[in-house]
Amino acid sequence: MQDRIIGHFGASIETKTLSAEELPPYIEHASQIMVNALVSGGKILTCGNGGSAGDAQHFSSELLNRFERERPSLPAIALTTDPSTITSIANDYSYNEVFSKQIRALGNPGDVLLAISTSGNSSNVVQAIQAAHERDMVVVALSGKDGGHMTSLLTAEDVEIRVPSDVTARIQEVHLVVIHCLCDLIDCALFGEE
Ligand SMILES: O=C(CO)[C@@H](O)[C@H](O)[C@H](O)[C@H](O)COP(=O)(O)O
Ligand SMILES: [Zn+2]
């Protein structure tokens, strides 16, 4: 079984190496979108399912609390954290609307939606992107595989960071590095390079 374990590490390293070659321009662009929103008084909403819900919460917590340095709190809300809201929307309407209904209430022009989906096909994330555009928000899509339905919804204002892999776990492992890159770039832009 240790060969399997080593295989996971090897595949993760391989995917990260390929991502390090392909993704930096998209990550930098995404960070600029987020910084522009934050300096204009906007906030960042985040969403995703399963492991990507964890990533959505991981990112919002690092803005609200801190990443690696002492700095003021930054405005971010994970749309994945309130079971009463999520279960009531899913129960009364549809699970596909659990993020979009929140965005219609919380999102404002100039805010950013970080939409996370390894397949790009999770309906509630797709509908979240549609709702964000209705609210004149900008979208940063964090995806993988062929980008799925999410990709076709993005405008020229948005950016997609698509991990070059078809394996959900490997994509998620790169998403975490991307989230930390975004936090670092935001801190550098707002509070100076250390
Ligand atoms: O974390 C994992 C797999 O590693 C799963 O929980 C995974 O997040 C779930 O299957 C999600 O429903 C997948 O959705 P998505 O990434 O395609 O949007
Ligand atoms: Zn996972």
Side-chain angles (χ1 to χ4, degrees):
M1 292 306 268
Q2 297 206 10
D3 286 348
R4 284 185 73 87
I5 296 167
I6 294 166
H8 281 284
F9 277 88
S12 193
I13 290 165
E14 201 175 294
T15 308
K16 285 175 180 167
T17 302
L18 194 54
S19 297
E21 290 163 5
E22 293 188 15
L23 299 184
Y26 304 97
I27 297 169
E28 185 173 14
H29 183 189
S31 72
Q32 289 161 347
I33 288 172
M34 292 180 167
V35 166
N36 290 345
L38 294 169
V39 298
S40 308
K43 61 184 176 294
I44 300 170
L45 302 183
T46 68
C47 67
N49 294 278
S52 296
D55 290 337
Q57 291 159 201
H58 192 144
F59 180 73
S60 64
S61 71
E62 287 178 327
L63 262 67
L64 288 164
N65 180 30
R66 69 176 186 185
F67 177 46
E68 292 181 326
R69 70 167 85 174
E70 288 303 317
R71 55 104 166 111
S73 296
L74 297 172
I77 304 173
L79 302 174
T80 54
T81 61
D82 179 353
S84 297
T85 297
I86 289 170
T87 55
S88 63
I89 294 171
N91 200 38
D92 296 350
Y93 296 91
S94 157
Y95 185 67
N96 296 337
E97 299 182 43
V98 293
F99 301 137
S100 53
K101 205 161 172 50
Q102 293 184 73
I103 289 166
R104 291 191 180 95
L106 298 171
N108 292 317
D111 288 348
V112 172
L113 172 69
L114 177 61
I116 309 174
S117 173
T118 62
S119 66
N121 287 322
S122 286
S123 299
N124 55 8
V125 179
V126 166
Q127 292 201 22
I129 290 173
Q130 292 165 329
H133 286 152
E134 289 167 21
R135 299 292 297 158
D136 289 329
M137 295 168 62
V138 182
V139 176
V140 172
L142 198 41
S143 68
K145 301 178 185 174
D146 63 1
H149 185 189
M150 269 192 347
T151 300
S152 63
L153 299 174
L154 300 180
T155 69
E157 310 301 312
D158 302 331
V159 65
E160 180 182 8
I161 304 166
R162 186 189 305 175
V163 176
S165 173
D166 289 324
V167 178
T168 297
R170 301 292 85 84
I171 295 165
Q172 290 173 331
E173 288 151 10
V174 175
H175 281 178
L176 186 49
V177 178
V178 171
I179 280 165
H180 285 151
C181 286
L182 291 171
C183 290
D184 180 50
L185 292 172
I186 288 169
D187 280 1
C188 288
L190 295 181
F191 309 104
E193 291 198 46
E194 280 190 335

